[in-house]
Amino acid sequence: MRFAAALIAVFLAMPAVAEPVAYTIVDGSEIPDSLTGTPGSAEDGRVLYFDMAATGCSGCHGSPSGPGAQAAAGEAAPSLSGVGARLNEGAIRLWIVAPRVLAPETTMPGYYSAGQRMEPEDPRFGMPRLTAREIEHLVAYLMEQRAQ
């Protein structure tokens, strides 16, 4: 009985993990609607962008704005400097969620496919690499990146 109570306590203490939400790709060029129904936080998106363990964005794309705007060493991917002026938020969202829809030969991974988190100790086991909320944060941050 004590084991069952302890097991229930552990289960209840686990964070709630949301399943990926459905989205619609329009004209093969964008996901126009927010995955969460609300805008993300640009500041939280900036933190994610530079967090190599979470996204790796800056490792391939470099710093997108400010005096240090530059491509990453080796230029593994295009600079995102000014991306918010070039693309709308729906296109940026699609690049993060499913980049091969836009560029079939790209080496950029999609970040919103079920089963990307495969470490058994990960509380988001079986889920996408990023949550819908994290994607919206990145979209908000990248939309702020305008040509300097």
Side-chain angles (χ1 to χ4, degrees), residues 22-38 88-95 97 136 139:
Y23 55 85
T24 301
I25 298 172
V26 175
D27 296 329
S29 64
E30 67 177 321
I31 300 172
D33 299 321
S34 165
L35 299 177
T36 63
T38 59
N88 66 32
E89 70 178 38
I92 291 173
R93 189 175 293 112
L94 181 55
W95 270 109
V97 169
E136 293 307 317
V139 169

Side-chain angles (χ1 to χ4, degrees), residues 61-72:
H61 293 284
S63 176
S65 67
Q70 58 188 1

Side-chain angles (χ1 to χ4, degrees), residues 109-122:
Y111 288 88
Y112 200 58
S113 297
Q116 291 176 317
R117 292 180 166 269
M118 297 309 294
E119 297 297 324
E121 65 277 358
D122 188 334

Side-chain angles (χ1 to χ4, degrees), residues 9-87:
V10 167
F11 178 75
L12 293 175
M14 291 175 61
V17 176
E19 294 288 331
V21 297
Y23 55 85
T24 301
I25 298 172
V26 175
D27 296 329
S29 64
E30 67 177 321
I31 300 172
D33 299 321
S34 165
L35 299 177
T36 63
T38 59
S41 158
E43 178 56 27
D44 289 344
R46 185 190 68 73
V47 170
L48 277 168
Y49 184 91
F50 289 101
D51 182 342
M52 290 301 293
T55 65
C57 297
S58 64
C60 292
H61 293 284
S63 176
S65 67
Q70 58 188 1
E75 298 182 36
S79 169
L80 295 180
S81 178
V83 69
R86 293 190 311 273
L87 299 176

Side-chain angles (χ1 to χ4, degrees), residues 1-14:
M1 182 68 163
R2 288 175 58 179
F3 176 75
L7 188 59
I8 290 170
V10 167
F11 178 75
L12 293 175
M14 291 175 61

